[in-house]
């Protein structure tokens, strides 16, 4: 695209103002660059979502293993009461995780019970990043890019054909003396 722009400018006379071909090729260049950014964004988001899914599944698996180990331990041993208290963690105290009643009664905080819940808040979809899926971006750009380019072409040709009509009527033909 850059080669096309530079070769076109080299073939035309040097002038100090912007030519209509510069506007057209510049807009085409911007459209190509925007589609490249869209492709990179979709790829990045898909990779991040896949990483989040893998992490979520790994934490779910660890939580299930921990629960199975706790159930297995409860079957063979008598249940012992543990007393744990986090002194320097105001977040856990405000959630009620580190209170004496919870630890003495054997209850644990939501983070210890199922670590997978700490990754995604309730109501959030694991397949969305910033509230949108990569396939949604693809769907929108399949419509937005062509519509924008068609609108640009309509405006471009209407404006420049109108300007060329005005310029033709302003021209004064030269009389050649022979």
């Amino acid at each position: 695209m850059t080669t096309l722009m530079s070769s076109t400018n080299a073939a035309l006379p040097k002038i100090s103002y912007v030519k209509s071909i510069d506007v057209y090729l510049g807009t085409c260049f911007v459209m190509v660059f925007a589609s490249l950014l869209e492709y990179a964004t979709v790829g990045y988001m898909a990779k991040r979502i896949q990483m989040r899914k893998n992490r979520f599944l790994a934490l779910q698996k660890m939580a299930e293993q921990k629960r199975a180990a706790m159930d297995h331990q409860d079957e063979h041993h008598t249940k012992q009461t543990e007393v744990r208290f986090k002194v320097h963690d105001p977040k856990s105290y405000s959630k009620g995780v580190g209170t004496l009643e919870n630890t003495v009664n054997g209850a644990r905080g939501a983070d210890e019970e199922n670590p997978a819940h700490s990754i995604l808040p309730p109501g959030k979809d694991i397949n969305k990043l910033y509230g949108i899926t990569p396939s949604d971006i693809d769907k929108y750009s399949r419509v937005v890019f062509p519509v924008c380019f068609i609108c640009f072409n309509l405006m471009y040709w209407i404006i420049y054909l109108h300007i060329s009509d005005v310029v033709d009527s302003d021209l004064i033909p030269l009389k050649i003396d022979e």
Side-chain angles (χ1 to χ4, degrees), residues 1 5 9 17-30 149 152 155-156 159-160:
M1 199 71 191
M5 289 175 68
N9 282 332
Y17 52 87
V18 178
K19 299 181 279 280
S20 62
I21 191 76
D22 292 336
V23 172
Y24 191 82
L25 290 177
T27 304
C28 291
F29 187 76
V30 167
F149 194 69
F152 165 73
M155 290 186 334
Y156 176 86
I159 289 170
Y160 281 109

Side-chain angles (χ1 to χ4, degrees), residues 128-141:
K128 290 186 177 183
L129 188 64
Y130 305 117
I132 194 165
T133 63
S135 62
D136 288 342
I137 293 175
D138 270 341
K139 289 174 190 173
Y140 295 143
S141 57

Side-chain angles (χ1 to χ4, degrees), residues 55-69 112-116:
R55 186 175 51 220
F56 182 74
L57 292 174
L59 283 175
Q60 246 182 351
K61 187 176 180 181
M62 284 189 333
E64 288 175 13
Q65 289 173 352
K66 195 176 205 181
R67 239 183 272 130
E112 292 176 12
E113 206 172 275
N114 191 357

